[in-house]
Amino acid sequence: MAADYANIDIAPFIDHSLLLPIATPEQISQWCEQAYRFNFAAVCVNPCYVKQVAELLHHKKPHVCTVIGFPNGATTSAVKLYEAKEAVENGATELDVVINIGWLKAGETEAVYGDIAPICEETGQSVKVILETSLLTDAEKKMAAEIAMDAGATFLKTSTGWNGGATVADVKLLKEIAKDRVGIKASGGIRTHQDAIDLIVAGATRLGTSRGVDLLRQRHNPDKENSE
């Protein structure tokens, strides 16, 4: 990318994510402290840790984000809605909801819409719909994006990170489809500061990564980035 973009501050774009099944309460506290210190956009955790994050970030700038139907998107719509409502009750202000990929691929567009719309309507919070772009054709990405926006999504999110990650091409495609109606969250496989810059320039308005602190350090230590 052009040198003009080298000085972009990536911190406000970052959803500082800790979604590993082995994450401990102590690590969650560390993630919250880092998010506050480095001015990250949000802390994204599994639902069982939402209450802890909400308490630690009370009256602080980072949003409290959690995942719904993660990572496969194949729980029932009723379960997803319950999970989302409980997360909001516990303090979540942003919900990253995995689309039902099998329904999408089968062309069951009404079912996909019905899976997402109630969450958007009944929680009143920001909903980022995870499309899992690495598993979709471009036509399916377009269909999924349009359904998500019609259902009330506030962001289109590329990936869970469990089946491949974000690409510049996919972010550009989603940006073109969205036409600035919603945000774009690139997630998965963001390993270097340059990766982050490239995705932001392509149109990402959020970056989902567990490596946020490392990415910031790379900006001031390019040799570290080149060695990874």
Side-chain angles (χ1 to χ4, degrees):
M1 291 293 173
D4 292 349
Y5 299 120
N7 292 322
I8 292 175
D9 181 8
I10 68 171
F13 291 83
I14 292 175
D15 284 2
H16 198 33
S17 304
L18 184 56
L19 298 169
L20 294 174
I22 58 172
T24 65
E26 182 180 3
Q27 289 173 312
I28 297 296
S29 295
Q30 180 186 12
W31 246 241
C32 291
E33 190 277 329
Q34 290 173 345
Y36 176 64
R37 186 187 348 153
F38 292 108
N39 194 36
F40 292 153
V43 173
C44 187
V45 297
N46 285 308
C48 65
Y49 287 125
V50 166
K51 189 172 288 188
Q52 178 186 350
V53 172
E55 291 172 354
L56 290 171
L57 294 179
H58 186 57
H59 290 319
K60 294 180 179 178
K61 185 175 180 180
H63 293 285
V64 180
C65 177
T66 193
V67 287
I68 304 298
F70 191 86
N72 296 320
T75 49
T76 67
S77 298
V79 168
K80 283 184 181 176
L81 181 58
Y82 179 88
E83 188 177 30
K85 286 182 173 180
E86 183 183 49
V88 172
E89 289 174 3
N90 287 335
T93 56
E94 298 188 346
L95 305 169
D96 287 20
V97 183
V98 186
I99 202 168
N100 190 307
I101 303 162
W103 286 351
L104 181 77
K105 283 187 166 293
E108 298 180 14
T109 56
E110 291 186 8
V112 176
Y113 177 90
D115 200 45
I116 301 166
I119 296 173
C120 298
E121 293 168 2
E122 297 187 35
T123 65
Q125 301 301 322
S126 176
V127 174
K128 308 186 198 92
V129 176
I130 305 174
L131 309 182
E132 205 69 299
T133 49
S134 62
L135 301 181
L136 305 179
T137 65
D138 282 356
E140 289 168 340
K141 293 168 195 174
K142 185 177 188 303
M143 179 168 58
E146 294 291 356
I147 293 170
M149 290 187 291
D150 288 346
T154 48
F155 284 82
L156 302 175
K157 180 177 172 180
T158 61
S159 323
T160 61
W162 289 65
N163 296 288
T167 67
V168 167
D170 279 341
V171 169
K172 286 182 176 178
L173 178 62
L174 295 180
K175 177 74 171 177
E176 180 182 341
I177 295 167
K179 301 187 189 310
D180 295 324
R181 288 174 286 173
V182 298
I184 308 295
K185 178 174 175 179
S187 184
I190 305 172
R191 301 186 182 281
T192 69
H193 184 265
Q194 189 60 52
D195 288 342
I197 294 293
D198 290 347
L199 291 165
I200 291 169
V201 173
T205 54
R206 288 284 186 93
L207 303 173
T209 178
S210 62
R211 299 168 62 91
V213 176
D214 287 339
L215 299 183
L216 294 183
R217 288 172 178 161
Q218 287 174 16
R219 178 181 179 183
H220 303 289
N221 185 7
D223 290 340
K224 185 172 188 277
E225 179 172 335
N226 293 335
S227 67
E228 295 192 5

